[in-house]
Amino acid sequence: MSGAWSRFAAPAIVGLVVLAAWEIAVRTGGVPPYILPGPLLIARTLVADWGTLAPALVATLRIAALALLAAVVVGVALAVLFTQSRWLERSLLPYAIVLQVTPIVSIAPLIIVWANDVTLSLLICAWIVAFFPILSNTMLGLNSVDHNLLGLFQLYGAGRWRTLLHLRLPAALPYFLGGLRISGGLALIGAVVAEFVAGAGGSGSGLAYRILEAGYQLKIPRMFAALVLISAAGIAIHLLLAALSHLLLRRWHDSEAGRAL
Amino acid sequence: MSVSPSGVPSATSRGIDIALGGRTIAAGLSFDVPERETLCVLGRSGVGKSSLLRWLAGLLPGSPARTDVAWMAQQDLLLPWASVLENVVVGYRLRGAPAPLDRARALLADVGLADRVDDLPAALSGGMRQRAALARTICEDRPVVLMDEPFAQLDAITRLDLQDLAARLLVGRTVVLVTHDPMEALRLGHEVRVVAGPPLSIAHRTRPAGCPPRNPGAPALLTEQGALLATLRGAP
């Protein structure tokens, strides 16, 4: 079987079969739309409510993108600092882990109260969820440099800074990109979860707020339409980051070498 | 850096103590290195010959740091994200010195990679990568060259080609080449020294007749190879 077939046609057919079965089940079973709307109704709602859903999608994506950007900046900076100083790593890494393992739902209300600004608090929540994989993967990459190469760099007179720039950072790139792919999805999840918490308090403009609002008004098809948008956004982020990875690594790293986009 | 009476930096070391992971690799070993010649250090796996080379390079704790050695290893140690040309001048980039790009191109042409200078290492065969590594080692232009089984991962024919190339390009430099292949040692070494250990000791020395690279089919060389193999097997 050819690559294009297994990559695009196979998942598309599975999706179509599932959607068709769903539509048939809803119609023949007489399930009311406020329990489970069929895919055709969801699609129609998506088109009809595009005017309210599109700005909400943009708001959520904006938070996710900014949080991911902040996660990249802070994650990479901390990873570089930690690998340059064991003392810093030992003092600060445990607190990064505390941030990572704290359920975001439980601290989001506090952050919203403390930050006193909806956008900022959403950003902080999404950032907390997104930054750890980048930190952890980049650290792993920076520390995984072949010790023979480090020896060579030492013999050829490279100082700490040039070893970082010419060896550790490029060698860590595949690991960083792996972390970035995980964090891309997490930033979206973090943004949506934070919006749920903030939206429950009556403030918000993102997709999660639209879902809550539609739930209150029993507009279940609109809830599903918003969910579809979140899934689509997640897939788009994943594809975008996978393409970035491919672009940066395809010429020299085994993980991408010889693979079509 | 130690300097010999003739003013040439020397790789000769006395009182070498190496302990790694609680194992004594060398204790009070004296290791003289003939200048402007190739010394082949022959020994079985695990006797500590690579550790000795790392000590001579100043890469082990307690060994004196050096700035006059070039290094070539079993792995090509090319940076996978940099072009062949950039890899050859990497030492200059790392020191912030102007890179001798013309010299590097000439060296790459000399090792048969003239049309591959802009390729990444991943596009090259194992033999080509090791040629590039050799060009990088020569491009460093250091008086002392330390080589750790540089051709061990190549097929037999490519290995012979690269040995010839290395012998030609390394003339006039002080070279210590570690190997477990008696034929390689006999082809390339002005002196061949069999080591046993750990702890490291010198079990046997020989100076084969003629100049490297020697003909691998010469009867005298084959006889000597048989003798070396016997020495190696008797010196586990």
Side-chain angles (χ1 to χ4, degrees):
Chain A
M1 240 178 270
S2 77
W5 157 258
S6 61
R7 280 191 57 161
F8 299 108
I13 287 176
V14 170
L16 284 176
V17 167
V18 169
L19 287 178
W22 178 359
E23 186 70 39
I24 290 166
V26 165
R27 278 171 192 249
T28 56
V31 183
Y34 55 84
I35 300 289
L36 180 65
L40 286 177
L41 177 59
I42 295 172
R44 276 201 299 275
T45 314
L46 195 56
V47 175
D49 293 356
W50 186 249
T52 44
L53 289 175
L57 174 66
V58 171
T60 300
L61 281 179
R62 196 172 133 254
I63 297 290
L66 286 174
L68 188 60
L69 191 69
V72 167
V73 172
V74 177
V76 172
L78 280 182
V80 168
L81 279 179
F82 287 179
T83 45
Q84 295 296 301
S85 155
R86 180 126 294 208
W87 185 83
L88 260 180
E89 180 192 340
R90 288 201 175 131
S91 348
L92 292 180
L93 188 60
Y95 299 101
I97 296 170
V98 166
L99 271 185
Q100 155 75 4
V101 298
T102 307
I104 192 66
V105 184
S106 59
I107 54 167
L110 285 174
I111 291 171
I112 289 163
V113 170
W114 291 336
N116 203 19
D117 173 86
V118 177
T119 309
L120 181 63
S121 49
L122 295 182
L123 207 56
I124 293 173
C125 291
W127 171 78
I128 287 175
V129 180
F131 105 103
F132 194 77
I134 291 181
L135 169 67
S136 153
N137 272 33
T138 309
M139 273 177 70
L140 180 66
L142 289 170
N143 285 325
S144 302
V145 176
D146 184 352
H147 76 277
N148 289 310
L149 264 174
L150 285 172
L152 187 81
F153 270 52
Q154 189 189 326
L155 278 179
Y156 288 178
R160 186 176 258 226
W161 167 244
R162 285 209 165 89
T163 304
L164 178 70
L165 200 67
H166 291 280
L167 181 57
R168 288 189 187 272
L169 283 176
L173 185 64
Y175 295 82
F176 161 77
L177 290 168
L180 188 66
R181 281 206 230 181
I182 302 172
S183 290
L186 287 179
L188 182 67
I189 292 173
V192 171
V193 168
E195 278 174 6
F196 260 103
V197 177
S203 55
S205 56
L207 277 176
Y209 182 66
R210 293 291 161 221
I211 291 179
L212 280 171
E213 191 186 51
Y216 295 146
Q217 300 166 356
L218 273 182
K219 288 182 177 162
I220 308 301
R222 187 191 276 191
M223 270 179 82
F224 273 86
L227 272 176
V228 167
L229 281 183
I230 292 175
S231 304
I235 293 169
I237 289 172
H238 177 84
L239 289 178
L240 203 69
L241 295 178
L244 180 72
S245 222
H246 181 79
L247 209 67
L248 290 174
L249 301 182
R250 76 198 144 108
R251 291 188 63 211
W252 64 271
H253 196 256
D254 287 343
S255 67
E256 295 285 353
R259 268 175 55 170
L261 184 58
Chain B
M1 178 194 329
S2 49
V3 176
S4 72
S6 62
V8 179
S10 164
T12 294
S13 295
R14 317 228 168 269
I16 303 175
D17 291 305
I18 308 173
L20 293 175
R23 278 176 76 235
T24 303
I25 308 284
L29 177 73
S30 283
F31 198 80
D32 60 297
V33 177
E35 273 151 36
R36 299 180 194 280
E37 285 190 356
T38 298
L39 166 66
C40 287
V41 179
L42 184 61
R44 299 174 70 141
S45 303
V47 298
K49 50 194 194 305
S50 288
S51 299
L52 173 66
L53 204 66
R54 293 181 77 83
W55 201 94
L56 293 176
L59 289 174
L60 289 184
S63 56
R66 302 187 69 115
T67 55
D68 60 342
V69 300
W71 178 270
M72 186 169 170
Q74 189 173 346
Q75 312 83 11
D76 52 66
L77 298 182
L78 299 174
L79 301 176
W81 49 82
S83 72
V84 169
L85 183 65
E86 278 303 311
N87 265 295
V88 170
V89 297
V90 69
Y92 296 84
R93 299 275 190 233
L94 293 178
R95 292 184 291 273
L101 290 175
D102 290 337
R103 200 170 103 76
R105 279 203 185 84
L107 270 169
L108 281 167
D110 209 4
V111 302
L113 292 174
D115 52 343
R116 309 304 292 265
V117 289
D118 296 321
D119 284 358
L120 292 186
L124 268 55
S125 70
M128 288 176 176
R129 283 206 289 273
Q130 218 49 359
R131 281 166 196 269
L134 183 62
R136 179 188 58 197
T137 309
I138 306 293
C139 193
E140 274 299 294
D141 205 13
R142 306 280 179 97
V144 180
V145 178
L146 304 177
M147 305 175 101
D148 189 1
E149 305 200 12
F151 314 121
Q153 291 183 347
L154 304 174
D155 67 84
I157 307 304
T158 310
R159 195 182 308 153
L160 288 177
D161 289 348
L162 270 169
Q163 285 166 354
D164 288 343
L165 190 60
R168 179 162 65 79
L169 292 172
L170 290 167
V171 166
R173 291 176 210 273
T174 302
V175 181
V176 182
L177 187 148
V178 158
T179 180
H180 57 243
D181 176 4
M183 175 54 80
E184 179 162 290
L186 287 169
R187 291 203 70 210
L188 292 180
H190 293 90
E191 177 178 336
V192 176
R193 204 173 289 175
V194 180
V195 290
L200 271 170
S201 62
I202 294 157
H204 179 70
R205 303 169 179 247
T206 175
R207 288 187 72 89
C211 259
R214 298 185 186 87
N215 176 5
L221 206 72
L222 293 171
T223 311
E224 200 144 16
Q225 184 189 15
L228 281 180
L229 280 170
T231 312
L232 281 170
R233 299 187 78 180

